[in-house]
Amino acid sequence: MSISFDKNEDHNKLLWSSIRQKFATIALGGGKKQLQKIRDKGKMTARERVQYLVDPKTEAIEIGAFAASGMYEEFNGCPAAGVVVVLGYVHKRLCVIVANDASVKAGAWFPMSGKKNLRAQEIALENRLPIIYLVDSAGVFLPLQDQIFPDKEHFGRIFRNNAKMSSKGILQIAAVMGSCVAGGAYLPIMSDESLIVDKTGSIFLAGSYLVKAAIGETIDNETLGGATTHTEISGVADYKVKDDPAALDHIRALIDKIGAPDTAGFNRIESVVPKLDENEIYGLLPDSRNQPYDTYPIIERLVDNSEYQEYKKGYGKTIITAYARIDGWSVGIVANQRKVVKSATGEMQLGGVIYGDAADKATRFIANCNQKKIPLVFLQDVTGFMVGSKAEHSGIIKDGAKMVNAVANSVVPKFTIIMGNSYGAGNYAMCGKAFDPRLIVAWPSAEMAVMGGSQAAKVISQMEASSQKKKGIEIDEVAQEKLLKKIKEGYDKQTSPIYAASRLWTDAIIDPLKTRQWISVGIEAANHAPIIEAFNMGVLQV
């Protein structure tokens, strides 16, 4: 291998190592002392509950681990938004598992906690997967109640989703393993079946102190809303269990008895590992986001047996479209080609830029995959659509609109991997979050923004300099350079994969070597939801 390869490999492995270190801190929730306090009460921690629940020797994938990262610092943070969400196997059945982390502010709901819970429910709804709630929460975090309580995508939407999922026959099981108060008390009761742990679980609209203040009644929490009360007097809960392991065993037994799901019928055969070494992805991906590279070798290390059938290979070369298999599943790949290519007319086209012919090719390919019922995988490293008079006169806006239309109206499941750049309208055309990918993940090398940091910093600094000039203030070259550096540093922070993941613009930051697993689990989940819509691009100017 070359010196360049070794340099790239070191850079990308260091990026992933940094992500792993940050996750190790996040996984501690509210900290070791808080976790031990939970254990001292005879309870398991949120992550221990999830690990116990999923099948042994299987690997769950975690959704939103970096949610709220770097946010709510005035409240000492909210690691993982105070809730653990995974896609995992329970008695060989793929389920969504949602576990409140009581070590983080007693499991209180921050605004991002609500967004993350809604994302978990969205995954269950889209894929018709059973969803299991492990409830241990003090309710809404009151200092931020205005950001989580009243709006359409706030706390109340969760209960609306409970009702919708139940009406669609999507199984919901809730285990109350700690506090479950106020509006949150509706979640387990709106689930199809509910469990409550004796002595540690409690459900009530208002705790004993509030009851005393409101109506003058003196009563303890256990009598008010403990396990015995709700399984023998009110009938609110269905099962009383003695401790956390008993509750989780009971859930496993319930899942073991549900019927087989309908399937969408996506094509799968026996999986074959890539013929080429997956580990080489680290060295193939450049250490600079501005540096061009060939995307084909990346694809060859992601697909089964390193084999694919390319669609329209000689046309629209800045986007690669190909049929392949990933972990046995048939997929259609739409990938940005990052190296400079030559068009049929001899024009040199920039890598990572979507030209009109590439958009046209991608549109046709997406339509073909919908017709053949083949899931789509988007490999993003895109700087946007081509600009300039030649592109505008040839109708780049129309060609781009056709591609966006096809992505938006696609009825087969879509999965997005952000390998590098994800800029501007390129993010949309390559199935960004706004276009409903079933799962969207980023590699540590990803950057997401309207434009690159250097370009944006120049634009913003020029605007600032112009504004100062109008006020009669001249900015010399040194001051201009200092301003440019300051703006770029702030902008680069906003383009980082952690910034995006903290706001749930992506579901996870993953090791590139886990890409095949994420896509495979995603398609398996999607296969639980038969396609009932026909692909139709509506009114389209061709």
Side-chain angles (χ1 to χ4, degrees), residues 144-186:
L144 298 175
Q145 63 85 28
D146 63 319
Q147 300 177 41
I148 188 172
F149 169 65
D151 209 347
K152 181 178 178 180
E153 298 298 330
H154 283 178
F155 193 65
R157 188 76 171 183
I158 292 164
F159 312 131
R160 176 266 189 193
N161 288 349
N162 288 145
K164 287 290 186 180
M165 281 191 279
S166 185
S167 73
K168 294 177 184 295
I170 299 169
L171 178 64
Q172 300 173 87
I173 299 173
V176 179
M177 310 177 82
S179 296
C180 184
V181 301
Y186 289 103

Side-chain angles (χ1 to χ4, degrees), residues 45-66:
T45 67
R47 292 185 180 275
E48 288 168 350
R49 288 166 176 168
V50 170
Q51 186 176 14
Y52 187 103
L53 184 60
V54 299
D55 292 345
K57 298 180 181 178
T58 64
E59 188 177 354
I61 62 174
E62 184 167 352
I63 306 294
F66 284 86

